[in-house]
């Protein structure tokens, strides 16, 4: 086996790869950006090298620098993880040319599968079914529109270089085609540096079913069964499971055969995933699925396959790269139980799933039978705007699907995160959704049920506010009593008694607090005296004090409660009527501005697009009126809350 590995990645996957490498006796070499110098994957490594500033383009994507470090540190192989350089054939070639083994497929296989259009053409030749559509070279807008008309709506426009659910637009009707095409091309150019697209028939009630394949350097290719990744939001996976609900032996064999054939067609070596889309309206059938694309790397959701097969896929990757034969044949493999993975993200489902960054004041995961946590951050660390805001993958394995789901839900509800907002509660609600439980899956399930899943604006929970307010009051009372005691021991001064905060028994009328920055008044009575005493911290809530505030946490919900600062003059500004101010919802780039100074807009009209984490977020006019004070040009970098423009209300003459 290799004696050392350089891991060209970060976060959760770098740590996960490092653990297996160490178990196999390798010296672990990490590379990291300036933003990650204290990250767990760096401290875990035997050696670590800083390769540049925070933006991935200046660090994790700089192939030359990583290769230089690998040579200097004497790495025998490079594991690219997923994302970043993992599917970059030039990098794989450069690594091999330097006499270092690349833990992944040959560059030729990456190239063959790298672009969705060419991949489709290639597997079609190997008799693998593909989605009807246009995947040719003509990129003329009118021509593409004609193809969409011919294929029949709804259609899907896909960036040929796309990945990670980005660069895709569903178009319901011909009128909407032109705008969707332009927006897709814009995102494709900015995210992948390639604006070309293909057009596909949109499969109804689509289910995403993918097959894990593995090849060795001796010509063997086998599969490790399927995963169902139909629980998606905006084409990004949210929950993944293995095996796929409703899959029978005959259909599984058909999926497996198609996947292995696709792998063999490109001389595949190592771990790869062949993604299919199945028409879920008639259940999974041997003749009801189509090839979508092949990912020539490890997948984020590989742990569910590890759970049900008992294999460490990263170990198999190292063995295949080292030239070993696959340790098993297809006939040796069997499925043990059911496994489900949920992607725990720092984001706010209640605010359109906006990424949420900041320090992780508390981070605790439960332990339990069948629970596995793959995480790359620790308490005290931070979720930064530079990378994917995933906090952890929470994985549960059980004898049955229901057992796995119950375990996953309990694990999520017992996860404590204070600081960035998370999707924990949303995930728990999804696990309990009747259709999901029943295995009635399709990729539109989440989008159709946002309301039921709680992914809508919600008033803060009153019980949580009261718990937080009382805890703050109790803290303040204890502090004042301590001050009073200190003073009275110094001088017997009756005026220094600390009752100014109106916390003396019988005199308390209310407690003013900031709930997520909004002013709230908690009215209380005699019960307060009792409540502010011992035992307040009980109840079902977890309270985490940090940042001059209290985080009240319950079953994945989190509320930040702070005492208003009487000296903060901006307080009224912040919480008065925001009027027609249009602010950037997040730290990001202003990719498009649709209005000019003086334009008249309707309430809810899209005025701009901010891109963050490679996703486009529309910015809407908060009211009807006239555009004034445009503060930025398209292309500008915006801080969270930066004022972009103002919509001035119409004044009747
Ligand atoms: P990416 O490379 O960005 O992951 P994919 O081609 O794998 O893109 O597609 C991602 C998701 O988009 C799929 O899992 C599926 O939900 C949806 N999708 C892709 N193609 C189609 C299609 N033809 N019809 C319906 N949904 C599709």
């Amino acid at each position: 086996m290799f004696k050392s590995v350089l891991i060209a990645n970060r976060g959760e996957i770098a740590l996960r790869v490092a653990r297996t490498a160490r178990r196999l006796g390798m010296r672990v070499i990490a590379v990291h950006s300036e933003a990650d110098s204290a990250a767990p994957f760096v401290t875990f490594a035997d050696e670590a090298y800083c390769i540049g500033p925070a933006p991935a383009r200046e660090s994790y994507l700089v192939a030359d620098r990583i290769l230089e470090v690998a040579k200097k540190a004497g790495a025998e192989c490079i594991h690219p993880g997923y994302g970043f350089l993992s599917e970059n054939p030039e990098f794989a070639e450069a690594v091999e040319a330097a006499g270092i083994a690349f833990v992944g497929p040959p560059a030729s296989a990456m190239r063959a599968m790298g672009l969705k259009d060419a991949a489709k053409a290639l597997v079609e030749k190997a008799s693998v079914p593909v989605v009807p559509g246009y995947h040719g070279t003509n990129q003329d807008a009118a021509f593409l529109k004609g193809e969409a008309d011919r294929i029949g709506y709804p259609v899907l426009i896909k960036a040929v270089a796309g990945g990670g659910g980005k660069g895709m637009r569903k178009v319901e009707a011909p009128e909407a085609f032109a705008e969707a095409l332009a927006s897709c091309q814009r995102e494709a150019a900015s995210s992948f540096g390639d604006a070309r697209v293909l057009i596909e028939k949109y499969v109804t009630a689509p289910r995403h079913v993918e097959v894990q394949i593995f090849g060795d350097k001796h010509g063997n290719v086998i599969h490790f069964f399927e995963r169902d990744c139909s629980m998606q939001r905006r084409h990004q996976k949210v929950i993944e499971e293995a095996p796929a609900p409703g899959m029978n032996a005959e259909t599984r064999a058909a999926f497996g055969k198609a996947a292995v054939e696709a792998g063999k067609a490109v001389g595949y070596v190592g771990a790869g995933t062949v993604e299919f889309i199945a028409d879920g309206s008639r259940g999974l059938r041997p003749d009801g699925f189509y090839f979508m694309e092949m990912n020539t790397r490890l997948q984020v959701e590989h742990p569910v396959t590890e759970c049900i097969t008992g294999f460490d896929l990263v170990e198999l990757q190292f063995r295949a790269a080292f030239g070993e034969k696959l340790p098993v044949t297809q006939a040796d493999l069997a499925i043990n139980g059911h496994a489900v993975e949920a992607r725990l993200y720092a984001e706010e489902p209640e605010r359109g799933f906006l990424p949420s960054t900041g320090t992780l004041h508390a981070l605790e995961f439960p332990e339990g039978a069948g629970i596995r946590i793959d995480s790359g951050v620790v308490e005290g660390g931070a979720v930064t705007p530079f990378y994917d805001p995933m906090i952890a993958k929470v994985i549960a394995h059980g004898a049955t699907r229901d057992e796995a789901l119950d375990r996953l839900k309990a694990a999520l509800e017992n996860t404590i995160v204070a600081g960035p907002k998370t999707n924990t509660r949303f995930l728990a609600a999804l696990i309990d959704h009747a259709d999901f439980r029943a295995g009635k899956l399709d990729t539109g399930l989440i989008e159709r049920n946002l309301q039921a899943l709680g992914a809508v604006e919600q008033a803060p929970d009153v019980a949580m506010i009261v718990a937080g307010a009382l805890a703050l009051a109790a803290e303040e009372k204890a502090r004042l009593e301590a001050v009073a005691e200190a003073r009275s021991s110094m001088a017997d001064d009756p005026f220094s008694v600390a009752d100014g905060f109106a916390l003396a028994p019988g005199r308390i009328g209310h407690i003013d607090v900031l709930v997520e920055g909004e002013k709230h008044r908690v009215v209380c009575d005699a019960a307060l005296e009792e409540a502010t005493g011992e035992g307040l911290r009980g109840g079902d809530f977890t309270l985490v004090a940090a940042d001059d505030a209290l985080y009240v946490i319950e079953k994945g919900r989190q509320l930040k409660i702070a005492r208003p600062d009487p000296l903060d003059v901006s307080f009224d500004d912040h919480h008065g009527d925001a009027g027609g101010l249009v602010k950037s919802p997040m730290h990001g780039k202003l990719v498009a501005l649709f209005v000019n100074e003086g334009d008249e807009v309707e309430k809810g009209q899209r005025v701009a697009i901010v891109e963050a984490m490679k996703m486009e977020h529309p910015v809407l006019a908060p009211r009807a009126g006239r555009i004034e004070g445009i503060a930025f040009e398209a292309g500008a970098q915006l801080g969270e809350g930066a004022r972009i423009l103002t919509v001035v209300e119409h004044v009747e003459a």
Side-chain angles (χ1 to χ4, degrees), residues 626-644:
R626 195 180 61 252
I627 300 293
E628 279 187 11
I630 294 178
F632 297 97
E633 282 179 9
Q637 284 295 336
L638 306 176
E640 181 178 334
R643 189 177 61 78
I644 302 173

Side-chain angles (χ1 to χ4, degrees), residues 84-106:
F84 296 134
L85 295 167
S86 63
E87 293 183 281
N88 181 323
E90 287 77 35
F91 180 62
E93 272 167 355
V95 171
E96 296 278 348
I100 299 170
F102 181 76
V103 184

Side-chain angles (χ1 to χ4, degrees), residues 288-310:
F289 65 90
Y290 312 97
F291 171 90
M292 262 189 313
E293 65 164 352
M294 177 167 182
N295 291 327
T296 53
R297 53 164 166 82
L298 194 67
Q299 299 272 97
V300 175
E301 58 275 20
H302 74 278
V304 292
T305 301
E306 297 186 323
C307 288
I308 63 155
T309 62

Side-chain angles (χ1 to χ4, degrees), residues 447-525:
E447 229 75 48
R448 283 195 306 276
N449 291 286
L450 288 177
Q451 185 101 27
L453 298 171
V456 285
E457 284 229 43
Q458 288 176 46
D461 184 276
V462 173
M464 292 173 88
I465 298 178
V466 171
L470 292 182
L472 278 181
E475 243 174 48
E476 184 72 2
K477 185 180 177 204
R479 191 181 67 77
L480 292 174
E481 276 169 2
V483 170
E485 193 159 320
R487 283 201 190 157
S488 62
S489 66
M490 283 161 61
D492 203 3
D493 173 6
F495 296 105
S496 69
V497 173
D499 63 354
F501 183 59
L503 269 175
R507 290 177 52 192
I508 304 157
H510 61 260
I511 309 169
D512 285 336
V513 286
L514 291 178
V515 178
E516 299 295 342
E518 299 281 339
K519 200 167 178 181
H520 277 251
R521 173 159 291 188
V522 177
V523 179
C524 33
D525 50 28

Side-chain angles (χ1 to χ4, degrees), residues 82-83 116 156 158 162-170 187 191-192 202 206-208 210 228-241 275 277 292-293 295 297 299-301 341-347 352-355 387-390 423 426-427 430 436 442-447 450 453 586 611-617:
Y82 38 68
K116 291 180 202 280
L156 199 61
K158 281 188 188 179
K166 284 148 202 158
M168 241 185 288
R169 296 290 184 279
K170 180 183 177 187
E187 192 171 297
S191 293
F192 314 111
Y202 189 84
R207 272 180 74 170
H208 175 118
E210 59 183 37
D228 191 305
C229 312
S230 301
M231 289 305 98
Q232 304 183 344
R233 204 193 132 256
R234 295 207 185 159
H235 307 303
Q236 299 206 48
K237 297 163 186 168
V238 175
I239 287 186
E240 306 102 338
E241 59 185 305
E275 297 190 330
I277 187 153
M292 262 189 313
E293 65 164 352
N295 291 327
R297 53 164 166 82
Q299 299 272 97
V300 175
E301 58 275 20
E341 170 184 289
R343 299 190 187 192
L344 179 57
Y345 268 98
E347 64 183 14
F353 295 85
L354 280 188
Y387 315 110
D388 184 76
M390 189 162 76
N423 62 346
F426 167 77
L427 292 171
L430 181 55
F436 178 64
D442 77 85
T443 59
L445 188 147
I446 290 180
E447 229 75 48
L450 288 177
L453 298 171
M586 68 211 352
E611 185 197 86
M613 314 262 184
K614 302 249 186 284
M615 293 275 294
E616 291 192 350
H617 299 271

